[in-house]
């Protein structure tokens, strides 16, 4: 770990796809799913990443632990550069970086029993005997609120919440340092969501886990995250402490996301309404300058000419020419 406590660091991270059916790669259109993302994740914290569907959250999550290739930029884990590391060089780090997937049913092999699914990490990464592995599997099931006899069943025999508990058990099997959770409760009932969030919170304290928690529901993110990063069309537009983001968002898009949460789920005053105008532009043809300007009621000429940078750094910052609450706030009275 670096001297400043950062376990995972991304600098100008990019993930680009070629889109189109033409047989000529040079003629295909480029889609930047992750476009110059810079952020730090500190040891022991929970960083929430929020944004609309299609903004690049899941792609960023997969890039952070190198399940997807990185097209550009720098990525380091525990001080080691992993942006372009080979599969062979990444293998020793795999047990330290794990992922909880959005769809618990799709992430579990339906042809294998739960005991085999949970035993696989031990068989790949350790030299433990089968007896020790069976004992560890029973312990994992009990820790996530399931019974040891569930090891003999197939995934289709469980409910959605139980399947996600199995996915969580598999993720923590090797006691990783970093867990990336990609919308782990979005497919669950509200009552089950609370149980799973509480479980993740307890596991974080028990095993000293570091979380990157992906979601589009700000109320869920607020419950589990120390800091929040807000994404829009592949960019981080604001990042900072969770309570500050909810109490006084500085980017108009952050304020719009917060305003969209039902009042009963956030216990502070709601910001201005109607902060988002029009439809989200296509990521294949984003607006010039600030990508949010086509939907921002405060956009000015400068917003179309210059792309804002994340001022303040990867721990707390905002990418906006006219951040809310600043001296340049366009809502401020004239002469302020």
């Amino acid at each position: 770990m670096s001297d400043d406590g950062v376990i995972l660091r991304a600098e100008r991270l990019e993930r680009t796809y070629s889109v189109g059916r033409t047989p000529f790669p040079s003629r295909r259109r480029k889609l930047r799913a992750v476009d110059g993302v810079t952020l730090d994740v500190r040891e022991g914290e929970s960083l929430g990443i929020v944004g609309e569907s299609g903004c690049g959250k899941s792609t960023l999550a997969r890039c952070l632990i190198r399940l997807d290739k990185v097209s550009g930029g720098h990525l380091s884990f525990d001080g080691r550069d992993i942006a372009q590391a080979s599969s062979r060089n990444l293998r020793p780090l795999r047990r330290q970086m794990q992922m909880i997937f959005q769809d618990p049913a799709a992430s579990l092999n339906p042809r294998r029993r739960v005991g085999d699914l949970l035993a696989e990490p031990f068989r790949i990464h350790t030299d433990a005997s089968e007896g020790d592995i069976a004992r560890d599997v029973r312990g994992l099931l009990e820790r996530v609120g399931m019974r040891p006899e569930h090891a003999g069943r197939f995934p289709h025999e469980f409910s959605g919440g139980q399947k996600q508990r199995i996915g969580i058990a598999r993720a923590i099997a090797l006691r990783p340092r970093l867990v990336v959770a990609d919308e782990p409760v979005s497919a669950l009932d509200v009552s089950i969501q609370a149980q799973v969030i509480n479980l993740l919170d307890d596991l974080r304290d028990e095993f000293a886990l570091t979380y990157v928690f992906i979601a589009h529901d700000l109320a869920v993110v607020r419950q589990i995250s120390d800091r929040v990063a807000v994404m829009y069309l592949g960019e981080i537009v604001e990042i900072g402490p969770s309570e500050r983001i909810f109490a006084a968002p500085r980017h108009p898009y952050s304020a719009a996301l917060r305003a969209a949460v039902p009042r009963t789920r956030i216990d502070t005053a709601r910001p201005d309404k109607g902060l988002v105008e029009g439809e989200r532009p296509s990521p294949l043809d984003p607006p010039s300058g600030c990508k949010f300007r086509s939907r921002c009621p405060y956009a000015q000429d400068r917003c179309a000419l210059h792309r804002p940078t994340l001022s303040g750094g990867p721990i707390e910052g905002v990418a906006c020419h006219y951040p809310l609450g600043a001296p340049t706030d366009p809502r401020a009275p004239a002469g302020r």
Side-chain angles (χ1 to χ4, degrees):
M1 184 174 62
S2 61
D3 295 337
D4 52 3
V6 174
I7 186 174
L8 184 69
R9 171 167 288 163
E11 300 178 64
R12 300 182 300 278
L13 201 65
E14 296 182 1
R15 179 65 173 109
T16 304
Y17 297 93
S18 295
V19 180
R21 297 183 178 181
T22 172
F24 305 101
S26 61
R27 298 182 184 177
R28 295 175 186 169
R29 303 180 71 182
K30 298 294 183 181
L31 187 154
R32 293 184 178 273
V34 178
D35 190 6
V37 166
T38 295
L39 58 82
D40 287 350
V41 183
R42 295 176 291 194
E43 183 91 19
E45 79 167 343
S46 177
L47 174 67
I49 300 179
V50 299
E52 295 172 290
S53 296
C55 71
K57 303 185 303 294
S58 295
T59 303
L60 174 61
R62 296 176 66 89
C63 287
L64 290 178
I65 59 173
R66 280 298 316 278
L67 288 183
D68 278 1
K69 293 182 179 179
V70 175
S71 303
H74 302 280
L75 179 65
S76 61
F77 177 79
D78 200 19
R80 298 176 58 180
D81 184 12
I82 63 172
Q84 303 300 330
S86 65
S87 299
R88 180 177 181 181
N89 291 333
L90 284 172
R91 183 167 182 175
L93 299 177
R94 288 299 183 197
R95 64 181 300 162
Q96 300 184 50
M97 302 184 296
Q98 292 294 320
M99 189 164 185
I100 302 171
F101 296 92
Q102 178 176 358
D103 187 347
S107 65
L108 303 175
N109 189 332
R111 295 179 176 84
R112 300 183 65 182
R113 298 181 189 273
V114 167
D116 289 335
L117 294 173
L118 296 182
E120 187 173 30
F122 297 105
R123 290 170 179 155
I124 293 175
H125 293 283
T126 73
D127 297 325
S129 66
E130 287 300 316
D132 290 340
I133 291 176
R135 183 196 64 223
D136 290 337
V137 167
R138 291 193 297 269
L140 281 172
L141 288 170
E142 292 175 347
R143 184 60 196 84
V144 298
M146 302 187 70
R147 297 193 299 273
E149 56 265 29
H150 287 156
R153 299 183 185 178
F154 290 94
H156 73 269
E157 301 179 68
F158 298 97
S159 67
Q162 289 175 317
K163 291 175 185 176
Q164 194 59 286
R165 289 176 183 269
I166 295 168
I168 293 171
R170 182 174 58 180
I172 67 169
L174 299 175
R175 303 295 187 268
R177 298 172 61 191
L178 174 69
V179 174
V180 175
D182 182 15
E183 301 203 35
V185 298
S186 63
L188 307 179
D189 293 338
V190 174
S191 60
I192 305 301
Q193 286 184 9
Q195 296 176 18
V196 172
I197 291 296
N198 290 334
L199 173 62
L200 291 171
D201 218 11
D202 292 342
L203 292 174
R204 176 188 171 189
D205 294 336
E206 182 176 348
F207 299 119
L209 299 174
T210 300
Y211 284 146
V212 174
F213 191 91
I214 313 293
H216 59 263
D217 189 331
L218 267 71
V220 171
V221 169
R222 185 182 191 187
Q223 183 175 345
I224 198 171
S225 301
D226 302 310
R227 287 190 303 130
V228 174
V230 182
M231 282 194 73
Y232 185 77
L233 286 184
E235 297 181 8
I236 299 292
V237 297
E238 185 171 8
I239 188 169
S242 176
E243 289 306 315
R244 202 274 297 158
I245 294 288
F246 280 89
R250 300 181 62 197
H251 196 283
Y253 180 63
S254 305
L257 288 181
R258 180 178 178 275
V261 179
R263 190 187 298 259
T264 56
R265 302 186 67 190
I266 291 185
D267 56 3
T268 54
R270 184 174 299 185
D272 298 347
K273 298 181 180 180
L275 288 171
V276 172
E277 300 178 347
E279 297 294 328
R280 178 171 63 88
S282 169
L284 286 171
D285 188 23
S288 62
C290 175
K291 292 183 179 180
F292 186 62
R293 69 171 177 82
S294 62
R295 304 174 72 191
C296 179
Y298 309 125
Q300 301 183 32
D301 292 342
R302 181 185 178 190
C303 301
L305 299 176
H306 304 287
R307 177 178 174 179
T309 58
L310 191 67
S311 61
I315 298 297
E316 181 173 7
V318 59
C320 182
H321 294 305
Y322 306 101
L324 307 180
T328 57
D329 188 340
R331 302 175 303 173
R336 172 180 167 179

